[in-house]
Amino acid sequence: MQKENKDNRRYPVYFVGAGPGDPDLITKKGDKLLQNADLIVYTGSLINTELLNVKKDSCKTYDSANMTKDEVVELITEYVFDGKMVVRLHTGDPSLYGAIQEQQDALYEKDIETKVIPGISAFQGSAASLGRQLTLPDITQTVILTRVKGKTSHSNEEDLKDLAAHNATLCLYLSIQDVGKVVEELKEGGMTDATPTAVIYKATWPEEKIIKGTLSNIEEKVKEAKIEKTALIMVGEVLDADKNAYKDSKLYHPDFEHGYRNKTNN
């Protein structure tokens, strides 16, 4: 049975995005919450634990890697009902593949408020490491974040062979262990052997590795590099587009007028 603190004060539980790996890429708001937290429950198998260096001495930390959802919720609830501030630290951005909704719903049932602090996701960190823009005029204006079908099911309309037909930039999470299957399904959907492909292992970490190739050779390159986890697969023409492959955006064109700039008079 939980005990209430004397003044009945309860902080919300903060679900904080840790970013992709570089500890400097957490938001200022997230970092401030880590500094003031009484309890930090973190995803130890994925986050950079250097982020915990800012915590106060009295703060307790728990690695959730070996905990069940019920154990996490029970621990958080105990601290919240005791008037303590709790941070649930998730890798990347909590809204993507973080399983936070089920934790939030369990906390809501206990009348505990939650707040989400966004973070930089792996696809953004990977794009930065590659130095590439994921949307380019005349190539694609669409980015698809997805994963290969595995233990977590999805609808048939989300099959990679169907998503490939959109000619969008594809960012595949949690799929590197099935890179051969990814290649096969994307080619079934109409992508060619020459389609640019990149694998970014531990994006923004000191040990980051970038493997560039095409659908014809990326599987072989990944196996040679012995990459089996913690990597993002990116596929699309934007990854290898030179200046002649796309047009400049209208944003800076002299004939483009908007609320902050009139047309250039020639």
Side-chain angles (χ1 to χ4, degrees):
M1 181 176 181
Q2 294 97 11
K3 64 176 183 178
E4 292 278 0
N5 57 85
K6 292 181 179 180
D7 58 5
N8 203 33
R9 176 185 59 184
R10 290 190 201 170
Y11 291 102
V13 175
Y14 294 95
F15 285 79
V16 174
D22 183 344
D24 288 336
L25 291 179
I26 192 171
T27 63
K28 291 176 67 175
K29 189 168 188 176
D31 188 62
K32 186 177 180 180
L33 286 167
L34 289 178
Q35 293 177 43
N36 289 281
D38 298 302
L39 170 69
I40 300 172
V41 183
Y42 64 98
T43 312
S45 58
L46 296 171
I47 73 155
N48 189 336
T49 54
E50 287 185 22
L51 288 162
L52 303 178
N53 291 343
V54 301
K55 71 178 182 65
K56 59 189 181 183
D57 292 341
S58 61
C59 177
K60 301 296 184 182
T61 59
Y62 286 83
D63 182 353
S64 65
N66 295 314
M67 300 174 70
T68 66
K69 182 190 74 175
D70 288 344
E71 288 171 338
V72 169
V73 170
E74 182 179 353
L75 175 64
I76 290 174
T77 300
E78 178 182 345
Y79 272 75
V80 170
F81 274 76
D82 199 29
K84 306 297 185 182
M85 181 190 291
V86 178
V87 168
R88 180 69 171 102
L89 188 62
H90 276 264
T91 185
D93 180 86
S95 67
L96 291 173
Y97 306 110
I100 70 166
Q101 193 66 59
E102 58 199 63
Q103 297 174 70
Q104 289 177 290
D105 288 343
L107 291 168
Y108 292 152
E109 291 179 356
K110 298 177 180 295
D111 197 28
I112 295 174
E113 181 186 1
T114 66
K115 291 186 177 182
V116 179
I117 311 302
I120 295 174
S121 183
F123 86 94
Q124 295 162 311
S126 296
S129 293
L130 289 170
R132 302 299 304 188
Q133 183 175 320
L134 301 184
T135 57
L136 288 172
D138 289 347
I139 295 182
T140 186
Q141 294 294 291
T142 303
V143 178
I144 296 176
L145 311 179
T146 189
R147 62 173 296 178
V148 72
K149 185 183 292 186
K151 292 181 181 179
T152 301
S153 61
H154 53 61
S155 67
N156 290 335
E157 289 78 11
E158 295 177 284
D159 285 347
L160 293 184
K161 66 178 184 295
D162 296 314
L163 298 179
H166 294 285
N167 292 318
T169 303
L170 297 179
C171 302
L172 287 91
Y173 288 75
L174 305 166
S175 302
I176 193 63
Q177 72 283 355
D178 293 316
V179 62
K181 181 179 179 182
V182 168
V183 170
E184 180 182 343
E185 291 191 16
L186 291 179
K187 289 167 69 173
E188 281 181 28
M191 288 187 168
T192 70
D193 280 337
T195 304
T197 308
V199 168
I200 303 87
Y201 169 77
K202 300 198 78 169
T204 79
W205 290 69
E207 57 267 44
E208 173 187 86
K209 291 182 182 178
I210 296 175
I211 299 174
K212 296 180 181 179
T214 63
L215 285 182
S216 68
N217 60 21
I218 198 66
E219 180 182 5
E220 180 182 356
K221 288 187 173 186
V222 165
K223 288 181 178 179
E224 287 177 356
K226 297 181 179 179
I227 295 175
E228 300 176 346
K229 60 182 180 179
T230 326
L232 189 82
I233 304 172
M234 304 184 83
V235 185
E237 297 298 331
V238 297
L239 300 180
D240 195 33
D242 62 24
K243 178 59 182 170
N244 297 319
Y246 66 94
K247 293 181 180 179
D248 287 352
S249 70
K250 301 295 184 183
L251 182 60
Y252 301 109
H253 194 281
D255 290 333
F256 183 64
E257 188 175 31
H258 55 71
Y260 295 93
R261 190 183 75 218
N262 294 324
K263 290 182 181 180
T264 302
N265 295 319
N266 295 320

